Amino acid sequence: MISSLLTFIVGLAVVRLVEGRGFSRDGKTPGIVRLAVVSKTPDPSLRKRQFPDRLINDDHGLEYLINFEIGNPPQNVTAALDTGSSDTWVNPQCGTGNTLDSNAICQRYGRYKPEKSPTSKGTKQEMYLRYGSGAVLGEYWVDDLHLDGASIKAQQFGIATRSQGLDTGLMGLSYGNQVGTLYPNIVDQLAAQNITQSRAFSLDLGSIDTPEGSIIFGGIDTKKFYGKLSKHPIIPAAQSPDTYPRYWINMTSLSLTLPAPKLQVGSPAVPKVFLNSTIAVFLDSGGTLSMLPPSIVRPLAAAFPGAQNVGSGQYTVPCSAMNQTGFVDFGFGEKIIRVPWKEFVWFVEPGLCALGLMEGGEGTNILGDTFLRAAFVVYDQDNQNLHLAESADCGSNLIAIGRGSDAVPSGVGACSLPAYGDYPAATAKAPVPTAVQSPAPKITTSFVKSSTTGKPKST
């Protein structure tokens, strides 16, 4: 019964929409493009369904979507933000997605019609992209793409003619020109056309307590994180688990902190450590749940109060955990990203919640939205680095990312450390193992499966 309930995670999850909000620019000075992430909930009537028998793609629950325009006059379209793929494409085939509300979700968003834009041009090049949750077939086109106040001239993207397992199109934010694609993608073109100064952007998905998050092309917001941004080199493709250019970095520790017993208020529980060695992880905004080897996930789930194994490497947990002061700490050298349970536990509907971490195969180490909701991440392609800090919200202070080796500002976030009740904030050192310790999983070149991306193939 619980296994059937978990199937419902996909259909009942919140869909988030990125709505463009422009910032003034003179059209000449390289600057910043910031888009706000605003929470949208599905039609309540869509919840009244019988539970299907099969287990739908577990990672495909919540999506972060970006609303932008293509063509002249501009036509509004929507696509999922995906740091795990490089191509942007639109017009999915409605009714063929993997979610319970696939057709309704697909029909909700605009579709691009190239015949209505005099600046559109077909390339006669076939597009075939395969993802972990589906595939899309179509053709590459060129037209102007508008991100609110910024316009990218002659951007190449795909128009789907057939798709399977995908509710929306995608905006790929991974490596582009001659790396992940044979043409300059959106991140490339923003820098090449002097809209931004670097091939860099920052991502703040926002917590469940904040009304919105943001993606900032070409800049950071110092009032969206606390502590210092720490720099972590991206693992070269040839040395990565799937030998594909993605945002792989090294993670060095993982621990679970349980709420203090009621009789010991003021005495934080000792963290239980499940990883104290180095593994490669891939930061994927297209993945709802995070995914790590069974040797790590199983003992962590066993230590998480009330967790139940429902098969396929997934676990349900009591929804009351979201109201408890517990944490999962992800370590990257001396940098700790502390994820409160309210962010880590995935709420499906009243009475049904999922652990934010599931079992993956060898080399399938993904940090999805259950990690990213608590992190502020800067993706710097030019310098091959990711910069990490713990997310917060104390206003807005945008700073542009410049050019050169130290382009990403290295200052400290303007927000104060959260109180977290009687629990001390995570320190700058990885926790010392005190209870459970797992051996380092073997890293292979296995195919990486994420919620909306795998290793895309195009022709």
Side-chain angles (χ1 to χ4, degrees):
M1 180 64 175
I2 294 178
S3 181
S4 296
L5 287 174
L6 194 59
T7 309
F8 224 29
I9 288 177
V10 177
L12 299 184
V14 174
V15 174
R16 297 199 171 188
L17 172 66
V18 181
E19 296 180 346
R21 296 187 180 181
F23 291 81
S24 60
R25 57 172 59 81
D26 58 16
K28 298 179 181 180
T29 304
I32 295 172
V33 178
R34 179 180 183 269
L35 300 168
V37 180
V38 182
S39 162
K40 299 286 185 180
T41 53
D43 184 344
S45 67
L46 299 176
R47 294 174 179 259
K48 300 175 181 178
R49 303 289 184 93
Q50 294 297 318
F51 297 128
D53 294 329
R54 65 190 182 89
L55 181 65
I56 299 174
N57 190 332
D58 40 85
D59 303 3
H60 204 346
L62 182 149
E63 293 179 311
Y64 290 87
L65 308 177
I66 185 166
N67 184 29
F68 59 103
E69 297 171 319
I70 304 176
N72 298 290
Q75 301 175 44
N76 186 70
V77 295
T78 301
L81 282 175
D82 190 13
T83 59
S85 65
S86 303
D87 291 272
T88 293
W89 62 271
V90 296
N91 297 5
Q93 184 179 355
C94 292
T96 63
N98 277 344
T99 69
L100 297 178
D101 306 328
S102 172
N103 191 60
I105 291 173
C106 183
Q107 296 286 353
R108 191 180 308 165
Y109 304 116
R111 303 183 74 79
Y112 169 69
K113 298 180 179 179
E115 67 274 12
K116 292 189 175 182
S117 175
T119 50
S120 68
K121 183 179 179 180
T123 67
K124 301 187 184 301
Q125 296 177 353
E126 184 183 63
M127 173 189 69
Y128 174 66
L129 303 171
R130 181 169 58 86
Y131 303 92
S133 60
V136 58
L137 178 68
E139 181 184 344
Y140 286 110
W141 283 70
V142 173
D143 205 342
D144 295 346
L145 188 148
H146 311 285
L147 296 174
D148 196 70
S151 294
I152 303 174
K153 300 297 183 182
Q155 175 64 57
Q156 182 168 322
F157 59 95
I159 300 178
T161 54
R162 294 180 60 187
S163 64
Q164 183 65 44
L166 300 164
D167 301 326
T168 66
L170 294 180
M171 177 178 283
L173 300 177
S174 190
Y175 294 93
N177 195 23
Q178 304 305 314
V179 181
T181 63
L182 298 178
Y183 62 90
N185 70 1
I186 287 175
V187 177
D188 295 322
Q189 290 282 39
L190 283 168
Q193 297 187 26
N194 286 331
I195 298 170
T196 62
Q197 298 183 62
S198 298
R199 293 181 304 156
F201 61 93
S202 56
L203 186 61
D204 165 36
L205 294 185
S207 76
I208 62 172
D209 294 329
T210 56
E212 65 181 40
S214 62
I215 180 169
I216 308 169
F217 293 102
I220 69 170
D221 192 333
T222 62
K223 291 192 174 182
K224 298 301 181 188
F225 64 94
Y226 64 90
K228 186 176 181 179
L229 279 170
S230 63
K231 182 166 62 176
H232 305 270
I234 296 171
I235 299 172
Q239 302 171 25
S240 70
D242 66 350
T243 67
Y244 197 76
R246 304 185 192 276
Y247 299 118
W248 289 98
I249 60 173
N250 286 319
M251 185 172 78
T252 57
S253 67
L254 179 70
S255 64
L256 174 71
T257 300
L258 301 178
K262 293 182 178 180
L263 298 179
Q264 298 180 17
V265 176
S267 300
V270 177
K272 297 183 178 182
V273 177
F274 302 93
L275 173 70
N276 196 30
S277 56
T278 300
I279 64 172
V281 293
F282 160 45
L283 276 62
D284 183 12
S285 67
T288 298
L289 303 180
S290 297
M291 186 183 299
L292 290 173
S295 60
I296 297 174
V297 178
R298 289 174 186 173
L300 186 148
F304 200 102
Q308 296 186 47
N309 188 333
V310 294
S312 301
Q314 301 174 76
Y315 298 82
T316 57
V317 296
C319 291
S320 58
M322 299 182 71
N323 299 320
Q324 298 177 345
T325 311
F327 310 98
V328 180
D329 286 345
F330 294 79
F332 306 85
E334 293 189 347
K335 187 65 176 182
I336 301 295
I337 301 297
R338 167 158 284 188
V339 183
W341 282 7
K342 66 179 180 180
E343 309 289 356
F344 187 70
V345 172
W346 204 257
F347 177 84
V348 183
E349 65 171 352
L352 178 58
C353 291
L355 187 71
L357 186 63
M358 65 173 291
E359 299 172 20
E362 288 187 313
T364 312
N365 305 325
I366 297 171
L367 300 187
D369 298 334
T370 51
F371 166 82
L372 292 173
R373 289 200 297 185
F376 184 91
V377 184
V378 184
Y379 299 77
D380 182 2
Q381 290 188 14
D382 280 351
N383 294 295
Q384 292 293 290
N385 293 312
L386 294 188
H387 299 251
L388 304 177
E390 293 175 279
S391 65
D393 185 7
C394 56
S396 182
N397 179 44
L398 295 172
I399 298 178
I401 297 173
R403 296 185 175 94
S405 58
D406 296 317
V408 176
S410 59
V412 176
C415 298
S416 301
L417 273 66
Y420 288 141
D422 295 313
Y423 285 75
T427 64
K429 295 182 179 180
V432 177
T434 56
V436 182
Q437 184 172 346
S438 302
K442 180 181 178 182
I443 296 178
T444 71
T445 55
S446 301
F447 171 72
V448 173
K449 168 180 166 289
S450 63
S451 68
T452 55
T453 67
K455 182 173 179 179
K457 296 181 178 180
S458 57
T459 56

